[in-house]
Amino acid sequence: MFKKKKNILALGGGGARGLANIGALKVIERHFGRENFPFDMIIGTSIGSFIGAAYCFGKTPEEIEEKAISFEWPNLVDLGLHPTGLIRGSKFEDLIRETVGEKSFEDFKIPFALTTTDLETGEEMLHESGNLVKLIHASCSWPGIFSAVEIDGKLLVDGGIRNSIPTKAAYESGASFVLAVNPGFCVKSQKVSNILIAFAQSVQIMGEELNRYQSAAADVVIEPKLVNIDQLDFDKAPLIIKQGELAAEEKISKIKRKMRKFW
């Protein structure tokens, strides 16, 4: 029987920027240890769900980092016609299965949940059971780019549309203390010269504003400095992870101080 949920770690999304979650986990484990992991639950959104699931199954941050560094975006792209996206996502689903296997939510060493969004109703979904591989796939599937994932009659897409940082889901899950990792978005000062740049910049601006409100609700927020690094910069994985580590170290004293009153 798991103990009552109280301290929850919320891992935000952000494509390649979300690899900063790995650095944050490295610092938390360094200061508290795996056996004394201070969180009763991890909730992940988008790539935060991928990283969080791997960690909750028992993989070390270093093992997850090794996998992340080997990511090659072109190898995950399988173009195909679909009403909801340009990329089918079967290659990405294979990567998820390769990382977490065919395990289920019941197999987690640390309780874990992830968020998705129902594309047809706009409903924000929090999952603590179901087909884990497909749910992680859905949580990472930005509509229009990746195809929606049909699960139990619902078309599910990226949890980041409604919960780019799952602080709300954490409190609804019974948290009294929430530590959030906010990888942020990449709003650049640039000349907008075509429709693709206009679309990308609009998404970044909207995402940054959403993140500002969602991170404000957390008790402590880890915010890595990821200047001019966008969601597709997987080739910068070592730098992104290091920035997540540095940002977490900056907040570790505050995390310990804030958490002390909940122990």
Side-chain angles (χ1 to χ4, degrees), residues 22-36:
I22 301 171
L25 285 169
K26 290 173 75 171
V27 171
I28 292 168
E29 191 167 293
R30 181 183 306 145
H31 284 268
F32 293 96
R34 169 76 70 155
E35 296 302 318
N36 296 309

Side-chain angles (χ1 to χ4, degrees), residues 43-60:
I43 299 178
T45 285
S46 197
I47 195 168
S49 72
F50 182 88
I51 293 167
Y55 186 80
C56 288
F57 275 135
K59 289 187 179 296
T60 67

Side-chain angles (χ1 to χ4, degrees), residues 3-231:
K3 61 184 178 179
K4 181 181 178 183
K5 299 167 189 172
K6 184 161 69 171
N7 301 324
I8 295 183
L9 175 60
L11 302 181
R17 294 173 66 92
L19 298 178
N21 287 305
I22 301 171
L25 285 169
K26 290 173 75 171
V27 171
I28 292 168
E29 191 167 293
R30 181 183 306 145
H31 284 268
F32 293 96
R34 169 76 70 155
E35 296 302 318
N36 296 309
F37 189 70
F39 294 94
D40 302 288
M41 186 180 200
I42 293 178
I43 299 178
T45 285
S46 197
I47 195 168
S49 72
F50 182 88
I51 293 167
Y55 186 80
C56 288
F57 275 135
K59 289 187 179 296
T60 67
E62 290 74 21
E63 288 173 325
I64 303 170
E65 179 177 25
E66 184 178 354
K67 174 66 69 173
I69 291 173
S70 70
F71 281 178
E72 293 184 3
W73 175 248
N75 292 340
L76 300 180
V77 175
D78 47 349
L79 298 176
L81 295 175
H82 189 279
T84 60
L86 299 174
I87 299 173
R88 292 194 300 270
S90 58
K91 288 186 178 180
F92 180 59
E93 191 167 298
D94 288 342
L95 174 65
I96 298 169
R97 188 171 288 106
E98 176 186 321
T99 303
V100 304
E102 295 292 351
K103 296 179 180 179
S104 68
F105 282 84
E106 289 73 27
D107 297 317
F108 284 117
K109 300 179 185 298
I110 300 168
F112 174 76
L114 61 86
T115 67
T116 66
T117 305
D118 186 324
L119 185 59
E120 296 181 316
T121 67
E123 182 182 2
E124 50 195 272
M125 311 283 291
L126 179 67
H127 305 271
E128 297 182 69
S129 63
N131 186 318
L132 182 64
V133 170
K134 288 194 173 297
L135 285 169
I136 295 173
H137 179 185
S139 186
C140 297
S141 295
W142 191 268
I145 307 299
F146 279 94
S147 303
V149 180
E150 185 172 352
I151 301 175
D152 297 330
K154 297 179 183 291
L155 283 179
L156 302 182
V157 294
D158 201 314
I161 295 175
R162 295 295 298 268
N163 287 282
S164 55
I165 307 170
T167 50
K168 179 181 177 184
Y171 286 116
E172 289 177 349
S173 296
S176 51
F177 174 86
V178 175
L179 171 62
V181 181
N182 175 12
F185 283 75
C186 184
V187 179
K188 299 177 181 178
S189 296
Q190 61 181 320
K191 181 175 179 60
V192 178
S193 56
N194 60 60
I195 191 170
L196 292 177
I197 295 176
F199 173 74
Q201 184 79 334
S202 297
V203 169
Q204 303 302 320
I205 294 169
M206 289 188 292
E208 184 179 68
E209 187 68 12
L210 178 62
N211 273 20
R212 182 176 293 116
Y213 285 108
Q214 292 189 338
S215 63
D219 294 279
V220 182
V221 185
I222 294 171
E223 297 181 281
K225 296 177 175 64
L226 302 173
V227 179
N228 291 327
I229 295 176
D230 66 33
Q231 282 83 351

